[in-house]
Amino acid sequence: MQTTIIYITGVYDTLDLFTQELKNAFESMGYASFTYDARLEEVSKQALIECIGDGAKKDQRFFCVTFNNLGYNLSLPAGMTGTGMLLKQDIFQGTGGSKRAGSAEEEPNLWETYNIPYINILMDHPFHYEKPLQNAPATSIVLCTDRNHVRYIRRYFKNIRYTDFLPHAGVELGSKHKPLTERGIDVLYAGALPIYTVAKMIPDLSSIPEVDGEEMAQAVLSELVHHPDRTTEDVIEEYLKYKRNDISEERIHEIIVQMRFIDSYATSFFREQAVRILVENGIRVTAYGTGWDQCEWSDNPYLVYGGKVLAPEILPLMNDSKIVLNTMTWFKAGAHDRIFNGMLAGAAVVTDDSTYLRREFTDGKELVMFSRNEIRTLPDRVFDLFGHMQSTQKMADCGYQAAKEHHTWKSRAEWIREAWM
């Protein structure tokens, strides 16, 4: 039986890069592809409906594999009814065409109508996606890049029947890599400072009557800075329960969503600290992404600011970097694609740690890991890498092999196939 996987592109360049890697991987396994281009919405939707209709006649199977809820609300045109096609898979029998919130005239959800498993890979914390997750198709499978995010979904989104952990992955640009000593960039940081873009996420703090919103924001951020291995949602909940003992589970969830901007402030704080402490110790860092030119120390001669570039343009930069520096987007039990992209570029990767990374790698063998509580040691770790380039090259080579064998999008596609297809 032929299986066609549906992909959604044309919204974010980073997600398009990941999608193309998954598409290549699944096609190498023999799966057919259909790409829905969000920039050509009406044409894509009509072509998709025709593809599904033709496939139903041939008893084909369909899956949607997408990122960050893209296409979750795709609907059939008003007045059009589905074929009622049911996939021969136990996990979704009986979910096709289920009722969704709204009026009787609401357009039916495409994934539910055709009973197509909607495999949704979240690159960010679920609290950024409250509405789409609450209104997710009944056929949803949500895969999170941090184990704490899985726990969060299981607690607060009872409508989602299936969720699991899928680590981030990397993309390799070419298979020939220059030795570290021949590379032109000493340390590369590819990522924006969220503090300069987070303003639109900040709510009216007076709209939280249970507590003083300003005081809560300051207290939670202070706790995260001083205890950076804690999650934002846990600290917010702890604060609320300390102040009040009568706040319901549902209301705690609502306030966590309102206060999620604190997560970006904490991320930005440590991201800036990591780069700043290096340049102030005379280590040249080349930074890409918004915000690096707005810091009070941006005139430091050891900071080279390259502006904002698209995701595919970062890969050749990593291939010319001795060290790829990463700090997590407040993931405590996951990873970031910068880590695996850097490894697959043959660079020496330096990153803050997580429980996942500590289980997966050995500090100093495949990469360098540092604790956020010990960020002051970062310059010494980096100087040590530059001072012993032969052993640093060996570490980079080990990192490349580990990523090549276990942390590509092909390896993630193989896991998805075994688990859900």
Side-chain angles (χ1 to χ4, degrees):
M1 179 187 299
Q2 183 180 6
T3 298
T4 297
I5 300 179
I6 301 162
Y7 307 95
I8 299 172
T9 61
V11 182
Y12 300 109
D13 63 284
T14 303
L15 301 184
D16 286 351
L17 178 64
F18 301 155
T19 298
Q20 187 61 51
E21 290 293 307
L22 278 179
K23 180 181 177 182
N24 293 343
F26 279 120
E27 287 180 349
S28 72
M29 301 174 195
Y31 292 97
S33 299
F34 179 93
T35 301
Y36 180 104
D37 190 336
R39 294 164 295 192
L40 304 169
E41 187 171 358
E42 293 307 315
V43 173
S44 292
K45 181 182 287 190
Q46 185 60 40
L48 176 57
I49 292 171
E50 291 175 3
C51 177
I52 295 171
D54 291 341
K57 298 172 186 176
K58 302 173 184 176
D59 201 29
Q60 292 181 2
R61 300 193 313 160
F62 289 87
F63 292 84
C64 177
V65 177
T66 190
F67 291 91
N68 288 2
N69 313 285
L70 293 179
Y72 81 97
N73 59 354
L74 275 182
S75 60
L76 292 170
M80 179 178 178
T81 57
T83 64
M85 176 184 69
L86 290 176
L87 301 180
K88 292 179 172 55
Q89 300 175 152
D90 292 337
I91 60 172
F92 290 122
Q93 288 300 323
T95 64
S98 66
K99 298 293 184 182
R100 296 174 64 78
S103 65
E105 292 78 21
E106 186 174 342
E107 295 180 350
N109 181 272
L110 184 146
W111 315 114
E112 293 181 352
T113 299
Y114 294 111
N115 200 24
I116 296 174
Y118 175 84
I119 300 175
N120 181 19
I121 306 170
L122 296 186
M123 296 286 98
D124 306 296
H125 197 294
F127 56 37
H128 293 300
Y129 303 114
E130 170 70 12
K131 181 179 177 181
L133 289 175
Q134 291 289 7
N135 293 282
T139 59
S140 290
I141 298 164
V142 178
L143 304 178
C144 302
T145 48
D146 186 292
R147 285 192 172 91
N148 290 324
H149 300 173
V150 176
R151 176 169 60 98
Y152 185 91
I153 285 182
R154 287 174 178 164
R155 178 178 179 182
Y156 291 119
F157 296 95
K158 303 299 186 185
N159 59 306
I160 294 174
R161 295 168 62 192
Y162 303 101
T163 184
D164 209 338
F165 172 62
L166 181 75
H168 232 306
V171 179
E172 182 176 6
L173 182 67
S175 56
K176 293 184 179 180
H177 305 294
K178 292 187 294 186
L180 297 182
T181 54
E182 297 178 13
R183 299 185 177 206
I185 299 173
D186 287 339
V187 178
L188 175 71
Y189 194 99
L193 282 172
I195 193 172
Y196 296 106
T197 57
V198 74
K200 60 185 178 182
M201 291 172 55
I202 302 176
D204 176 6
L205 295 177
S206 65
S207 66
I208 304 175
E210 293 89 345
V211 295
D212 183 321
E214 292 277 0
E215 179 186 278
M216 175 170 60
Q218 293 176 11
V220 170
L221 181 58
S222 176
E223 175 67 13
L224 292 175
V225 167
H226 288 94
H227 299 93
D229 290 334
R230 302 194 65 187
T231 67
T232 303
E233 61 268 27
D234 285 349
V235 176
I236 292 173
E237 180 177 6
E238 179 181 82
Y239 180 89
L240 291 171
K241 288 183 175 179
Y242 173 75
K243 290 291 185 178
R244 301 281 295 266
N245 60 8
D246 59 346
I247 301 180
S248 68
E249 178 90 346
E250 180 181 3
R251 183 57 181 149
I252 288 173
H253 182 204
E254 290 173 355
I255 295 175
I256 288 172
V257 172
Q258 285 181 283
M259 303 299 291
R260 70 188 190 279
F261 71 92
I262 300 173
D263 196 83
S264 295
Y265 272 104
T267 295
S268 195
F269 174 81
F270 280 97
R271 186 169 294 183
E272 180 178 346
Q273 289 297 306
V275 172
R276 181 175 186 173
I277 198 170
L278 292 183
V279 301
E280 290 184 347
N281 279 273
I283 298 171
R284 190 174 305 280
V285 179
T286 301
Y288 287 85
T290 57
W292 294 108
D293 57 337
Q294 300 179 57
C295 302
E296 62 179 24
W297 49 273
S298 294
D299 58 350
N300 189 298
Y302 287 94
L303 176 68
V304 180
Y305 179 55
K308 182 180 179 181
V309 297
L310 297 177
E313 298 175 74
I314 292 298
L315 299 179
L317 295 170
M318 287 186 171
N319 279 339
D320 194 36
S321 299
K322 297 180 179 72
I323 294 174
V324 168
L325 175 65
N326 172 69
T327 55
M328 232 73 78
T329 49
W330 220 248
F331 285 16
K332 309 304 172 191
H336 193 281
D337 65 298
R338 270 187 297 267
I339 297 170
F340 303 123
N341 289 339
M343 287 177 156
L344 290 169
V349 171
V350 177
T351 180
D352 55 341
D353 63 0
S354 72
T355 55
Y356 168 74
L357 290 175
R358 289 287 180 185
R359 281 195 296 265
E360 200 70 24
F361 303 111
T362 300
D363 182 24
K365 181 181 178 182
E366 302 94 350
L367 76 173
V368 167
M369 289 181 278
F370 64 91
S371 166
R372 286 164 293 276
N373 281 321
E374 299 174 347
I375 199 168
R376 292 285 175 189
T377 67
L378 185 55
D380 289 338
R381 300 293 302 273
V382 172
F383 276 125
D384 189 59
L385 292 175
F386 285 134
H388 302 86
M389 287 303 293
Q390 187 173 352
S391 59
T392 301
Q393 182 69 64
K394 182 179 178 181
M395 184 187 75
D397 293 342
C398 286
Y400 172 79
Q401 289 300 326
K404 186 74 172 177
E405 292 175 13
H406 303 294
H407 301 288
T408 64
W409 283 109
K410 183 175 182 180
S411 64
R412 303 303 182 240
E414 289 169 348
W415 183 90
I416 292 172
R417 178 187 61 182
E418 293 298 319
W420 299 106
M421 295 182 177

